[in-house]
Amino acid sequence: MDLEHARRVAVEAALAAGAVLRESAPGAVAVHDKGGSGDVVTDLDVAAEKLILDRIRAEFPSHRIVAEESGVHGGDRPDGGWTWLVDPLDGTNNVAIGLPAYVVGLALCAGGRPVLGVVHEPLSGRTWSAVSGAGARGPAGPLTGPPDRDLRHGPVLAWTQGHGVSRLDPAARSLKMTMDARARRVLQLWAPLMCWAMLARGDIDGMIGYRAEGLDLPAGALIAREAGVEIRGLDGGPFEASAEGPPEDRSFVAAPPALVGDLLDLVAEARRLAPALPPL
């Protein structure tokens, strides 16, 4: 498998989908309910996804694809476990209310683990990508690691949680309350792939996820890791950014290595505030 070729295909597909979104998103968008959690889908999601699927199928006809809107394509991984994850519009709720904050995301996984990730921001035209073990790239070239920042007033942190997490979930509420107390700012953008790109390029200082969605986790986490970000489970142990497994396996802290300990301390404080909680 030529991962550099796959990266080029993924970037070109993301750029093409981004062009569709950029041309149409400023206008009236047809919005439809999606499930029972308050999530939505638009006609743009469907159009961008079809474009990406067509390009991946043309280049890799035996690969399995898991797409946000249309589900699984390609059956039982006939080609050695190669699986594409496609989020054609991460930030649909933002588009639905006219907020210009959304990206396109793709990942290629082998045996459940991401080996390639792409995030494209249509409005700015910027793209970030990574191949496992080969580093991350941004619009200006290789990402060399998040820069040192002045944290006298606390870090800027992003928060993400899965669609299945209840608004009254005590663990999520305790974590968010502790983040609000410790951080200078907490971002909840409804577009986790955008947050991963911000972390990889050093615009924010860290990210905490609680039972995150599996489809967009691998691409963002791989780009951040290859850019020098460290990712741990909420217990401080190793974290595998896989789309597979239960939501409980997709809770994490992510930050430059020097700040990971601070985020784990934040998690521990949240646990002390709610001692009756099950493990976070």
Side-chain angles (χ1 to χ4, degrees):
M1 181 67 182
D2 183 348
L3 291 178
E4 183 55 34
H5 171 65
R7 189 194 71 81
R8 290 193 296 270
V9 171
V11 167
E12 290 169 3
L15 289 171
V20 170
L21 299 175
R22 184 173 60 252
E23 292 167 5
S24 303
V29 177
V31 180
H32 313 281
D33 289 335
K34 179 180 175 181
S37 65
D39 199 13
V40 298
V41 61
T42 73
D43 292 345
L44 291 180
D45 296 72
V46 177
E49 182 173 288
K50 182 180 185 306
L51 188 156
I52 293 170
L53 293 182
D54 287 347
R55 292 195 174 218
I56 293 175
R57 287 186 185 125
E59 289 289 336
F60 308 105
S62 63
H63 286 195
R64 181 176 181 252
I65 306 172
V66 181
E68 174 74 20
E69 307 307 335
S70 57
V72 179
H73 304 260
D76 299 323
R77 304 183 185 179
D79 194 9
W82 296 107
T83 298
W84 289 88
L85 308 177
V86 177
D87 192 341
L89 203 177
D90 186 34
T92 302
N93 281 279
N94 295 335
V95 172
I97 62 174
L99 182 65
Y102 57 90
V103 295
V104 179
L106 294 88
L108 175 61
C109 299
R113 297 183 177 184
V115 295
L116 165 65
V118 172
V119 173
H120 172 63
E121 190 176 68
L123 289 179
S124 68
R126 296 182 297 176
T127 304
W128 298 270
S129 65
V131 170
S132 180
R137 306 180 195 178
L143 299 179
T144 57
D148 292 333
R149 288 163 53 92
D150 183 354
L151 302 181
R152 286 176 296 174
H153 304 293
V156 177
L157 302 177
W159 165 264
T160 184
Q161 67 183 52
H163 296 309
V165 176
S166 165
R167 296 181 182 183
L168 301 179
D169 185 287
R173 295 176 73 180
S174 182
L175 283 166
K176 288 192 284 185
M177 181 176 66
T178 309
M179 290 174 71
D180 284 336
R182 284 201 175 201
R184 179 159 60 94
R185 295 287 186 274
V186 177
L187 306 180
Q188 299 184 62
L189 296 185
W190 296 353
L193 281 169
M194 179 173 279
C195 295
W196 282 114
M198 294 175 73
L199 181 58
R201 63 183 187 249
D203 291 344
I204 61 175
D205 304 302
M207 186 172 176
I208 295 180
Y210 179 67
R211 301 187 177 187
E213 289 297 304
L215 194 70
D216 50 34
L217 174 64
L222 179 64
I223 292 170
R225 263 191 171 135
E226 291 293 326
V229 171
E230 186 173 342
I231 310 174
R232 302 269 197 93
L234 296 186
D235 61 357
F239 180 78
E240 186 62 56
S242 173
E244 301 178 355
E248 292 80 6
D249 292 344
R250 297 195 292 270
S251 297
F252 61 86
V253 301
L259 293 180
V260 168
D262 291 343
L263 293 194
L264 291 174
D265 287 345
L266 186 157
V267 172
E269 181 178 335
R271 187 71 178 81
R272 289 193 297 270
L273 291 172
L277 291 178
L280 297 177

